Amino acid sequence: MPEKFLKPYDPAGTETRIYEAWEKSGLFNPDECVRQGVTAPDAAAYSVVLPPPNVTGSLHVGHAYEDSLQDAIVRFERMRGKRVVWIPGTDSAAIATQARVEKNIQKEEGKSRHDMGREELVRRVMDFARASESTILNQIRRMGASLDWSRYAFTLDEARNAAVMEAFKRMYEAGLIYRGHRIVNWDPKGQTTISDDEIIYEEEKATFYYLKYGPFTIGTARPETKFGDKYVVMHPDDPRYADWKDGQTFEAEWINGPITGTVVKDSSIDMEFGTGVMTITPWHSSADFDIAERHDLDKEQIIDEYGKLLPIAGEYAGMKIAEARPKIVEKLREKALVVKEEPYTHNIATAERTGGIIEPQIKLQWFVDVDKPFVMQHSEIPGIESGSTATLKALMRAAVESGAVHMPQEGFKNAYFHWIDNLRDWCISRQIWFGHRIPVWYGGEQVHIGTEAPSDEGWTQDPDVLDTWFSSALWTFSTLGWPEETSDLATYHPTAFISPGYEILNLWVSRMILMSGFLLGQVPFKTVLIHGVVRDKQGRKFSKSLNNGVDPIDMAERYGADALRMGLLAGTAIGGDVSFDESKVKGYKHFANKLWNIARFILENTEKVRAGSERDSQFSARELEHLNTLEALTNDVTADIEAFRVYMAAEKLYHYAWHELADKILEESKPILAGADEDARRSRAALLLLLLRRTITLLHPFMPFITEEIWSSFAPLMRGASRSDYDNFLMVARWPLLR
RNA sequence: GGGCGAUUAGCUCAGUUGGUAGAGCAUCGCAUUUACACUGCGAGGGUCACAGGUUCGAGUCCUGUAUCGCCCACCA
């Protein structure tokens, strides 16, 4: 009996030691598994990529949950003899990371990015990213994640950059990437464009003004944008304005003097809202922009990139919006142009990363065209033939509709289709400095695509970088060596499943399907297993501002990573939100200790009694019953994990180990083991060794550390009871085959 | 405005195809010097949000209502 078994189980000390041993063995790497004869050379491949966490600090228990879930499935498949690779990585998260560092620098040194310059800022952001990366990787290791570190990738490393450049080039050459003037979400605070998905709407109480505009009364919440308004729009079917014809002009006294207005009839106008008439500001509103495009109207900029009014505002030029608005309203009142004012609550768009209030602007940006037809050279996606014409939207739809990408959760599937149906062109340029620089060079009127400038003089590179999701979208294959035709790519793509939170279904999952479909003609993964958000006991998200964060390392140190994993996984249906409950983790710490003592009891008693071998033991009827129960459990647990019901498998195992094996079988065994009947003693000892071995084998995907520790401590005894593979880690032992 | 999900024990949550309600923590009682007090045995506690319907039988399926949450769109 090893001496450590005489004391309670010590998770903190055990876990780090075991992880080091695993890592040193090289067995997280499937190539090494084959080389060491652990995995058959022709075993089926099973690959998973870790959703790369942002290098913006450290991980929280939400990541711990995601990692535990994937690790349980990955370990299960590895034990089933598959050639398993789980690829780790981190995401540069362009805007998020740069914003974080800029904020720190501003606070500590009082400098802006412009004081510092591009090169210096990028260096500082990269330093921060490297520090975060190191913290994060330690956290992931501490959770026991069996990732193949030899394949580690960072979205901004050399190989991934090569993949991004190649992807950009191929899409550009297919005509799917274009540069154009479009209305974009401009963040005056971050001085960059952001995508629709990076906007957060916040409720604002404002005033809604009814203004006299020539013969009409218009409604607006933003009088400060109205200087250039010379079009008045109404619904073509609105009887109140039936006398007015499209294109008809009229004179009106306006903020800074008389102007000529033009009537525009457009059916996008809501007759019920306000007076049913509005003026439009195409430069600063996407809805207005669309109307202007439809009727080929003039567009004029009113507000600059810093949120200040331009000379068109006359006496208000140079003022910030907030400052100008009351003054303008005052003037309108003086000119008796304000008909009515009423309180009004609406949502204003703010930038997720910087909190800046979005001011739509027309800008020259790069876009991915999601509706343009192109020829699919090669396609393995059902519903899209090789050589046929498709669009990116059609590709995204077909991948899921055909079931090639399986989304078992119907609700998320509907959300995905809904998103595709409403999708507009994807703006991929960002006016920041940290990230993949757009590989486009301008020489006068000429454009060159490539990472290097052409050899002759006079070329300048586009200053923008790509949306961070552009590089993340390549993740399932950029990590496998694409665009090189590596054996990894041939062996491991498409991957088996992806496990993201639902908040990035659109941002990430759909764009992976887009990129993989276009560039490889494949789906990126066969199953999407969407999980919920981990919340605190009050149901709140974990956030820095609430200061309710829980550090997974802290939990692991206090209760053990095994306990934390079980606390997060067991009894938590996948897809729903997870409420983090520390007392649950504590409960599973007790369970770990229980397992420890089950092992101790069995080993202690089988040391004294020479156990019969499994083969020649004459098990009693009662013992055969126990074996059957265990067999049924094995079937159940296997089926559960195969169907991704990880939470159920975990609960069943917990219940079996504690309330069946310990409470019933061990108690029942005590008199037998102390009895006079030697045959009975021997067969019982053999039974208990078998039950213990099977139980810790089944539990290994969930509680890898303690099961490995029991396994290795008692390898000689275990081996005495049965055949084969105790020389190696439990991690690579065989999952019991079904009968 | 559109969509999705939730509502089960004091708290946090499970309950796979419809077959007499479960776990962790908390509460109460009893037991216990050797596997384990990070214990054992046992108890209390739920008209499964509400109202209808289908069925021999509904926490589970259908319809409606209420409350909460999330996602999408965004109306000047």
Side-chain angles (χ1 to χ4, degrees):
Chain A
M1 174 70 50
E3 197 182 336
K4 65 189 166 201
F5 270 85
L6 301 177
K7 290 179 290 194
Y9 177 58
D10 166 34
T14 307
E15 291 176 346
T16 44
R17 172 168 51 76
I18 288 186
Y19 196 86
E20 276 166 29
W22 282 333
E23 203 171 345
K24 202 175 152 203
S25 76
L27 293 170
F28 291 156
N29 180 342
D31 306 330
E32 191 61 25
C33 287
V34 171
R35 202 189 63 77
Q36 293 185 25
V38 163
T39 304
D42 59 348
Y46 192 91
S47 54
V48 181
V49 290
L50 179 79
N54 293 347
V55 285
T56 48
S58 56
L59 304 185
H60 50 76
V61 284
H63 294 101
Y65 170 58
E66 191 173 274
D67 296 347
S68 305
L69 181 61
Q70 292 169 78
D71 193 49
I73 297 167
V74 161
R75 284 181 183 272
F76 167 71
E77 296 294 354
R78 187 184 292 115
M79 291 172 87
R80 294 220 290 178
K82 290 187 188 166
R83 184 173 183 145
V84 172
V85 66
W86 185 23
I87 300 176
T90 47
D91 192 336
S92 57
I95 292 180
T97 314
Q98 180 175 322
R100 176 83 193 266
V101 173
E102 274 190 79
K103 203 169 165 187
N104 289 350
I105 293 173
Q106 185 69 47
K107 205 163 108 190
E108 287 157 25
E109 302 166 36
K111 284 191 197 166
S112 78
R113 73 164 120 144
H114 300 286
D115 299 331
M116 205 169 277
R118 184 163 193 149
E119 207 172 304
E120 169 74 2
L121 182 83
V122 168
R123 198 181 56 72
R124 295 281 296 266
V125 179
M126 194 56 99
D127 287 347
F128 175 85
R130 288 295 172 200
S132 297
E133 177 188 45
S134 139
T135 306
I136 288 169
L137 300 188
N138 280 329
Q139 288 179 301
I140 295 175
R141 283 186 165 88
R142 190 65 186 79
M143 290 305 295
S146 57
L147 288 151
D148 180 2
W149 296 103
S150 73
R151 285 176 165 85
Y152 174 77
F154 175 51
T155 53
L156 209 51
D157 64 21
E158 207 177 312
R160 262 44 64 179
N161 189 53
V164 168
M165 295 305 135
E166 182 66 21
F168 187 96
K169 195 163 177 234
R170 289 198 196 176
M171 295 186 95
Y172 182 83
E173 282 164 2
L176 297 177
I177 287 183
Y178 67 92
R179 195 176 190 220
H181 285 282
R182 283 299 163 90
I183 193 135
V184 294
N185 306 305
W186 180 258
D187 172 11
K189 196 166 177 189
Q191 285 293 300
T192 183
T193 302
I194 62 168
S195 71
D196 292 345
D197 307 286
E198 291 165 311
I199 287 179
I200 292 177
Y201 288 93
E202 282 174 13
E203 201 168 85
E204 186 195 54
K205 289 197 192 332
T207 308
F208 194 74
Y209 302 94
Y210 290 89
L211 305 176
K212 186 169 153 43
Y213 188 81
F216 299 101
T217 300
I218 60 156
T220 185
R222 299 202 58 189
E224 72 277 7
T225 64
K226 299 284 143 197
F227 295 101
D229 289 11
K230 54 187 180 184
Y231 301 105
V232 59
V233 193
M234 61 211 70
H235 198 282
D237 299 336
D238 195 328
R240 290 171 291 182
Y241 310 108
D243 292 345
W244 292 91
K245 301 285 173 263
D246 187 79
Q248 198 172 342
T249 60
F250 59 90
E251 297 303 313
E253 177 60 27
W254 197 226
I255 310 171
N256 290 334
I259 55 151
T260 303
T262 306
V263 171
V264 174
K265 300 265 180 165
D266 192 281
S267 51
S268 68
I269 301 299
D270 180 357
M271 286 186 267
E272 307 294 319
F273 190 85
T275 57
V277 184
M278 69 173 194
T279 61
I280 56 168
T281 315
W283 202 284
H284 301 292
S285 156
S286 61
D288 294 3
F289 180 87
D290 291 345
I291 293 170
E293 285 283 288
R294 278 198 287 279
H295 300 273
D296 197 23
L297 309 176
D298 297 338
K299 310 179 188 85
E300 198 159 9
Q301 187 173 8
I302 315 294
I303 300 164
D304 72 6
E305 279 74 8
Y306 299 95
K308 289 180 179 165
L309 289 162
L310 288 164
I312 190 173
E315 62 194 276
Y316 306 103
M319 282 188 201
K320 291 223 163 195
I321 303 297
E323 185 190 353
R325 186 183 295 179
K327 294 184 176 164
I328 292 165
V329 170
E330 194 46 45
K331 183 166 181 189
L332 286 164
R333 285 200 193 105
E334 280 168 19
K335 295 184 79 166
L337 293 173
V338 179
V339 178
K340 192 168 62 164
E341 296 174 40
E342 55 191 36
Y344 178 59
T345 305
H346 66 154
N347 292 329
I348 54 165
T350 63
E352 184 179 18
R353 309 294 190 191
T354 67
I357 295 172
I358 298 303
E359 189 60 69
Q361 294 275 5
I362 294 176
K363 292 225 154 248
L364 198 51
Q365 300 285 345
W366 288 96
F367 293 89
V368 169
D369 192 329
V370 292
D371 290 307
K372 183 168 180 170
F374 63 92
V375 176
M376 259 312 258
Q377 303 293 351
H378 163 78
S379 172
E380 296 166 29
I381 300 168
I384 305 274
E385 300 293 319
S386 295
S388 70
T389 299
T391 64
L392 292 174
K393 258 191 194 179
L395 211 59
M396 284 189 275
R397 179 169 266 285
V400 175
E401 220 160 42
S402 67
V405 171
H406 178 51
M407 286 194 194
Q409 296 139 307
E410 286 294 322
F412 292 124
K413 195 162 149 180
N414 292 337
Y416 173 81
F417 286 132
H418 184 257
W419 182 79
I420 290 177
D421 291 341
N422 293 292
L423 189 60
R424 294 190 292 183
D425 287 353
W426 173 18
C427 178
I428 52 169
S429 41
R430 295 290 182 277
Q431 290 68 52
I432 55 170
W433 293 337
F434 181 63
H436 296 278
R437 184 114 177 224
I438 290 180
V440 176
W441 300 77
Y442 307 105
E445 292 300 297
Q446 286 179 290
V447 168
H448 167 80
I449 306 297
T451 40
E452 301 293 326
S455 50
D456 50 321
E457 295 287 305
W459 293 85
T460 50
Q461 189 173 8
D462 194 298
D464 292 353
V465 301
L466 288 165
D467 179 11
T468 192
W469 299 103
F470 192 95
S471 54
S472 330
L474 312 175
W475 194 241
T476 58
F477 48 94
S478 68
T479 51
L480 295 171
W482 186 90
E484 304 299 320
E485 287 181 17
T486 60
S487 68
D488 264 12
L489 190 63
T491 309
Y492 295 118
H493 205 271
T495 62
F497 74 92
I498 192 85
S499 180
Y502 55 67
E503 73 277 10
I504 54 173
L505 173 65
N506 298 336
L507 285 166
W508 192 41
V509 175
S510 56
R511 284 171 184 154
M512 284 194 282
I513 295 173
L514 182 159
M515 286 295 193
S516 178
F518 176 73
L519 295 165
L520 277 74
Q522 291 183 335
V523 296
F525 29 71
K526 292 168 196 152
T527 298
V528 183
L529 191 64
I530 294 167
H531 65 252
V533 173
V534 179
R535 296 172 183 281
D536 69 7
K537 275 188 98 167
Q538 282 89 53
R540 303 174 305 181
K541 273 190 181 182
F542 288 110
S543 75
K544 290 192 181 69
S545 55
L546 286 170
N547 197 27
N548 60 350
V550 176
D551 180 359
I553 298 239
D554 182 44
M555 287 293 114
E557 290 303 313
R558 284 160 65 192
Y559 304 111
D562 283 334
L564 177 56
R565 290 166 63 114
M566 281 297 274
L568 289 165
L569 288 180
T572 307
I574 294 169
D577 285 350
V578 180
S579 159
F580 181 75
D581 186 354
E582 193 172 323
S583 65
K584 201 169 155 190
V585 177
K586 193 175 166 191
Y588 285 107
K589 182 187 191 231
H590 295 179
F591 177 56
N593 194 56
K594 189 75 182 177
L595 274 180
W596 192 245
N597 283 292
I598 290 170
R600 172 177 163 183
F601 176 86
I602 291 179
L603 276 306
E604 204 168 46
N605 282 286
T606 47
E607 264 178 341
K608 286 180 279 187
V609 182
R610 196 170 61 83
S613 79
E614 283 165 37
R615 284 219 184 90
D616 57 35
S617 282
Q618 290 297 310
F619 289 124
S620 68
R622 180 70 179 151
E623 285 164 350
L624 289 171
E625 225 175 273
H626 291 322
L627 287 172
N628 283 335
T629 305
L630 184 64
E631 205 61 35
L633 176 75
T634 306
N635 287 331
D636 263 19
V637 165
T638 304
D640 282 339
I641 307 177
E642 276 179 337
F644 300 110
R645 290 190 300 263
V646 171
Y647 60 103
M648 236 182 212
E651 277 207 329
K652 283 175 186 167
L653 286 165
Y654 166 86
H655 192 265
Y656 175 81
W658 198 316
H659 299 298
E660 186 71 25
L661 181 57
D663 289 351
K664 297 206 173 79
I665 302 176
L666 255 45
E667 290 306 320
E668 166 195 298
S669 302
K670 284 176 182 173
I672 298 171
L673 291 166
D677 184 339
E678 197 188 329
D679 285 345
R681 286 208 308 267
R682 289 185 58 191
S683 103
R684 180 52 60 136
L687 174 82
L688 292 180
L689 279 173
L690 197 158
L691 297 186
L692 174 64
R693 195 181 78 227
R694 174 69 67 87
T695 302
I696 63 172
T697 304
L698 295 178
L699 265 168
H700 183 260
F702 307 94
M703 308 182 80
F705 292 110
I706 188 170
T707 52
E708 189 73 78
E709 178 69 351
I710 293 172
W711 178 270
S712 64
S713 301
F714 292 109
L717 272 167
M718 298 260 209
R719 196 180 306 124
S722 166
R723 55 186 192 284
S724 75
D725 51 13
Y726 298 97
D727 291 335
N728 216 328
F729 291 102
L730 175 58
M731 181 178 79
V732 290
R734 280 293 159 270
W735 188 262
L737 290 174
L738 303 184
R739 267 188 201 159

